Amino acid sequence: MWYVIDARDAADVLARRLEARPKHLERLNALRDAGRLLVAGPCPAIDAEDPGPAGFTGSLVVAEFESLEAAREWAGADPYVAAGVYASVDVRPFRKVLP
């Protein structure tokens, strides 16, 4: 089943986010390579493709896992969690309808 991982950044974490980004992307690429990633990306803090020093408000991942528990475990092991980038992470089931 698909699951939405909706993570919200803590305040003033852009430097930590950038430092942890390579390891964060490794995990996402592994999901993609396994055919289990629908979409993933950050949410800019301003209306711009590259928000610069304004940074990001969080991240969204929609990926396939065997269970809600497995999705929560995967999200909890994210390098952004370990680096203190995320203030909160919400994981919930998702049903893809379109396209």
Side-chain angles (χ1 to χ4, degrees), residues 64-99:
E64 189 175 34
F65 294 93
E66 61 188 44
S67 67
L68 180 58
E69 180 179 328
R72 286 180 174 154
E73 284 180 24
W74 187 90
D78 194 288
Y80 284 172
V81 171
V85 173
Y86 293 151
S88 66
V89 179
D90 181 43
V91 181
R92 58 192 184 277
F94 176 77
R95 190 172 66 113
K96 183 179 182 289
V97 174
L98 294 171

Side-chain angles (χ1 to χ4, degrees), residues 18-71:
L18 294 174
E19 185 177 326
R21 187 170 189 261
K23 289 183 180 180
H24 170 78
L25 290 177
E26 281 180 27
R27 298 177 81 237
L28 291 171
N29 287 331
L31 284 178
R32 180 202 59 207
D33 294 349
R36 296 174 41 208
L37 182 64
L38 185 62
V39 66
C43 301
I46 60 173
D47 189 12
E49 186 74 22
D50 179 357
F56 301 90
T57 60
S59 301
L60 179 82
V61 175
V62 180
E64 189 175 34
F65 294 93
E66 61 188 44
S67 67
L68 180 58
E69 180 179 328

